[in-house]
């Protein structure tokens, strides 16, 4: 990956970039409801929430808003631990919600997928 470029794969629901602190480490931020979201406004991209590279040596923390990187303060060890616990809880909550999914697709036994969801919406509009 090249520095200063945000790579986005919709197919693999993930993004990648070189750490914005310049340490040379790769940063992968998966796109998922309980992880990161990407907003493309037609000209620029933003990612939510912030990127906290707690597992890297640099422990950099920044936000990507409208193609700009803005550095945020580094977290303390306790804040990092709390943040990781919150992330884990959010992912587990999302996974549980998916397992208990009460959608027409779940009832029909059809596995959930964006394509299935689009078909469902099309049927609904029809
Ligand atoms: Zn870094």
């Amino acid at each position: 990956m090249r520095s200063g470029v945000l790579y986005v794969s919709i197919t693999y629901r993930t993004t990648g970039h070189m750490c914005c602190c310049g340490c040379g480490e790769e940063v992968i931020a998966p796109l998922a409801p309980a992880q990161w979201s990407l907003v493309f406004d037609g000209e620029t991209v933003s990612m939510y929430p912030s990127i906290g590279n707690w597992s890297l040596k640099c422990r950099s923390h920044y936000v990507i808003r409208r193609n700009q990187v803005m550095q945020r303060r580094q977290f303390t060890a306790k804040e990092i631990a709390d943040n990781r616990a919150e992330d884990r809880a959010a992912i587990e909550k999302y996974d549980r919600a998916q397992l208990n999914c009460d959608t027409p697709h779940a009832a029909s036994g059809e596995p959930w997928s964006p394509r299935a969801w689009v078909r469902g919406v099309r049927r609904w509009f029809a």
Side-chain angles (χ1 to χ4, degrees), residues 65-109:
R65 298 287 186 275
R66 306 181 124 210
N67 285 2
Q68 300 295 311
V69 176
M70 289 168 277
Q71 193 174 349
R72 292 293 185 245
R73 72 174 177 82
Q74 289 200 337
F75 276 18
T76 64
K78 182 180 181 337
E79 286 173 319
I80 291 170
D82 291 349
N83 190 267
R84 282 184 166 147
E86 284 172 20
D87 287 352
R88 261 194 310 277
I91 290 169
E92 285 169 12
K93 184 179 174 187
Y94 177 76
D95 287 347
R96 274 197 307 276
Q98 292 305 297
L99 289 173
N100 298 325
C101 186
D102 186 24
T103 67
H105 303 296
S108 69

Side-chain angles (χ1 to χ4, degrees), residues 18-25 27 53 56-60 62:
M18 298 304 288
C19 182
C20 295
C21 87
C23 69
E25 294 287 337
V27 176
N53 295 318
L56 300 183
K57 212 173 191 175
C58 66
R59 292 189 164 192
S60 62
Y62 46 85

Side-chain angles (χ1 to χ4, degrees), residues 5-82:
V5 177
L6 178 66
Y7 295 84
V8 178
S9 170
I10 299 300
T11 301
Y12 295 103
R13 301 175 193 184
T14 196
T15 68
H17 65 276
M18 298 304 288
C19 182
C20 295
C21 87
C23 69
E25 294 287 337
E26 292 184 353
V27 176
I28 302 299
L31 298 172
Q35 292 183 295
W36 281 274
S37 298
L38 179 80
V39 173
F40 174 56
D41 66 9
E43 291 183 7
T44 66
V45 291
S46 302
M47 287 195 67
Y48 299 92
S50 63
I51 308 285
N53 295 318
W54 321 133
S55 59
L56 300 183
K57 212 173 191 175
C58 66
R59 292 189 164 192
S60 62
H61 182 209
Y62 46 85
V63 295
I64 300 174
R65 298 287 186 275
R66 306 181 124 210
N67 285 2
Q68 300 295 311
V69 176
M70 289 168 277
Q71 193 174 349
R72 292 293 185 245
R73 72 174 177 82
Q74 289 200 337
F75 276 18
T76 64
K78 182 180 181 337
E79 286 173 319
I80 291 170
D82 291 349

